[in-house]
Structures are given as C-alpha cells and as structure tokens.
Amino acid sequence: MRNYHLGENRVQPFARFEHAKPGDGSGAGYERWRSTEHRPHTATAGREDVYVAHHRLLAVVECYSLDEPIESVLDDLGGKDVHHRNGIKWDNRAENIEPVDHGEHASITQQQVRAWAEDEKRERRQHTGGVTDGDACSGCGEPAELLATSSGFAGERCLECARQECDGEPIEV
C-alpha cells in the first residue's frame, strides 16, 4: 500500500470516471476510474495511466467491515473476482456485487450464461414457431407434440421428462 502514497509517487490529486465500451481493451463494458500517476517502480518512465474497475472499488467499501485493515481487504480482494449477481456489468448496487474466488466466479457465470441462453432459445421458439406455453413441457420447456401427466409430478411433461420424473407412477398421455 505504501507504494501508492500521494507524496511518494506524486499521484495526481484527481481521477476521472469513464465507461469502457465493449471490445475496448481490458475494461470492456465495465465502468472504471482512471488516474495518471508517476510510477518509478515500473518499466515505463514517467507518467502512466492506471485504471481500476468501479465495482472493485465499491466492493472494498460495501463488502468488507470498516474495522478491517485496508491491507487485509486488498490482499483478500486481490485473489478474487467481484461478481455482479444479476449479470449486468454496470449495476454496481451494494446488494448486486460480491467478492468470490475466481474458479467459483467462472462456474457461476457459466451457469447464468447457459440459463439465459435456454430462456432466449425457448422464447424464440415460442415467438417464431407459434408455440404457446400449453405446447411446451413444464419440465424442460421444450415444445412437445404429446404431453403427459402423472401423480408423480405436477404439470405436463414431454414423454422423456415424464419417464424420468414419474417415480414409478402411471403416465397418462
């Protein structure tokens, strides 16, 4: 932390907030703060632009106790990703961000992406193919010509889902 002291590295007394556009370098889609600093300990001499993601700054304030030393917070956050629970990169409300380990974050994000893709796929089928909710399996959401019921599950299922979920109960088509 002492490497970034205002007097020691002559950090500029101002910073600028900017929104990086998707595909625009490392900040793609995330709001970030930009500061210009003199950093003698780096390979490039003189002033250098330093970018910090807005959600990471907010995580320091919102997700950790104010009693915890800043060095401890930065050490912990340094090994983690800050996850946006609803998947919207610019929604930096305190209840929408949480620090998580990188591997866990990748897993959560992939699950969300798959779920959103399935929702989108189902919605497109309904709009383009004329499929209504009554024509879709309530288990997998896929359109089905034949729907089955059983006392082993609630709703109507395609035959494949009905066989898997009937718990040995008879299936009615």
Side-chain angles (χ1 to χ4, degrees):
M1 190 66 193
R2 68 176 188 272
N3 291 340
Y4 299 100
H5 186 266
L6 181 63
E8 193 173 301
N9 285 344
R10 293 177 293 183
V11 175
Q12 298 297 318
F14 60 88
R16 188 175 84 192
F17 181 71
E18 57 185 47
H19 183 75
K21 296 176 184 163
D24 183 28
S26 63
Y30 289 99
E31 296 175 334
R32 58 191 182 170
W33 285 94
R34 177 180 161 236
S35 175
T36 303
E37 300 179 355
H38 175 70
R39 303 175 88 193
H41 58 281
T42 61
T44 59
R47 296 161 57 119
E48 183 177 328
D49 286 342
V50 178
Y51 295 91
V52 179
H54 190 205
H55 62 283
R56 293 189 69 80
L57 290 172
L58 290 172
V60 169
V61 176
E62 298 292 344
C63 301
Y64 292 91
S65 168
L66 294 176
D67 298 333
E68 192 169 348
I70 191 68
E71 291 83 7
S72 171
V73 170
L74 294 177
D75 283 345
D76 184 61
L77 191 58
K80 295 184 177 182
D81 293 341
V82 178
H83 175 63
H84 288 87
R85 291 182 176 122
N86 67 3
I88 300 172
K89 294 178 178 183
W90 49 262
D91 185 357
N92 291 320
R93 292 173 295 140
E95 62 270 12
N96 191 46
I97 59 173
E98 67 177 324
V100 295
D101 290 323
H102 180 70
E104 181 183 352
H105 184 242
S107 175
I108 292 169
T109 303
Q110 287 303 311
Q111 287 173 354
Q112 286 179 333
V113 167
R114 281 193 289 276
W116 293 329
E118 284 299 318
D119 290 346
E120 179 68 23
K121 188 169 129 182
R122 189 175 307 115
E123 209 171 282
R124 282 188 183 162
R125 279 197 187 116
Q126 288 176 350
H127 290 300
T128 59
V131 177
T132 63
D133 287 337
D135 298 324
C137 170
S138 58
C140 66
E142 296 295 320
E145 289 182 28
L146 294 174
L147 293 173
T149 58
S150 173
S151 57
F153 55 83
E156 296 181 320
R157 304 281 197 267
C158 64
L159 293 178
E160 184 178 335
C161 288
R163 285 186 195 114
Q164 292 174 1
E165 299 178 28
C166 71
D167 292 330
E169 298 291 326
I171 298 171
E172 295 179 23
V173 179

